[in-house]
Amino acid sequence: MVFSRLNISLANHLKPIYVTAHLEGVPFKRILIDGGAAVNVLPAKQMKKLGRGTEDLIPTHLTVSSFSGTITKTLGILPLEVDLGSKQIMLAFFVVDCISTYGALLGRDWIHQSLAVPSTLH
């Protein structure tokens, strides 16, 4: 298939997808959905908004790279309960010390997480 020109209706599909969700009960309005990202990312500034600090992180030696190729060492992993629409799931976020335009980034793994079973069904 060959597209001769990108028309305006196709260009609308190239915009980033932001959603609103609750992380540990705290509302976040600009969570970026990035199906190309391998991990979930939380800026360190947002971790502080949750009342969490470096003592809450699970140590890791993982580095992440951005779309521009910049490599950043993660501060650690922070497991968080995420409420997104009808989904309530526990996700691991890699915390990075960076400036970002989003509150958190959800990579492709969150899509495959199963729904948490409500405690009323146990």
Side-chain angles (χ1 to χ4, degrees):
M1 185 180 312
V2 176
F3 295 101
S4 58
R5 283 192 133 163
L6 183 65
N7 67 35
I8 204 70
S9 66
L10 289 175
N12 287 334
H13 294 289
L14 300 176
K15 294 180 181 177
I17 299 172
Y18 291 101
V19 296
T20 298
H22 287 78
L23 306 180
E24 297 290 319
V26 177
F28 281 76
K29 292 186 179 183
R30 289 185 57 88
I31 296 182
L32 177 64
I33 304 294
D34 185 351
V39 296
N40 304 310
V41 177
L42 184 72
K45 178 181 176 183
Q46 301 301 342
M47 177 180 69
K48 292 175 182 150
K49 179 179 176 181
L50 294 168
R52 301 291 188 90
T54 55
E55 66 279 358
D56 298 310
L57 298 176
I58 299 167
T60 183
H61 297 290
L62 184 78
T63 58
V64 293
S65 63
S66 69
F67 65 91
S68 66
T70 305
I71 296 179
T72 304
K73 184 179 183 319
T74 60
L75 301 176
I77 301 169
L78 184 63
L80 296 173
E81 183 178 284
V82 178
D83 294 316
L84 179 59
S86 63
K87 279 191 167 194
Q88 183 180 44
I89 52 180
M90 185 63 89
L91 294 175
F93 285 86
F94 289 84
V95 178
V96 294
D97 191 11
C98 68
I99 297 171
S100 74
T101 59
Y102 51 82
L105 182 144
L106 292 177
R108 61 179 165 258
D109 73 317
W110 79 274
I111 296 169
H112 303 291
Q113 296 291 328
S114 62
L115 290 173
V117 178
S119 57
T120 57
L121 298 178
H122 288 172

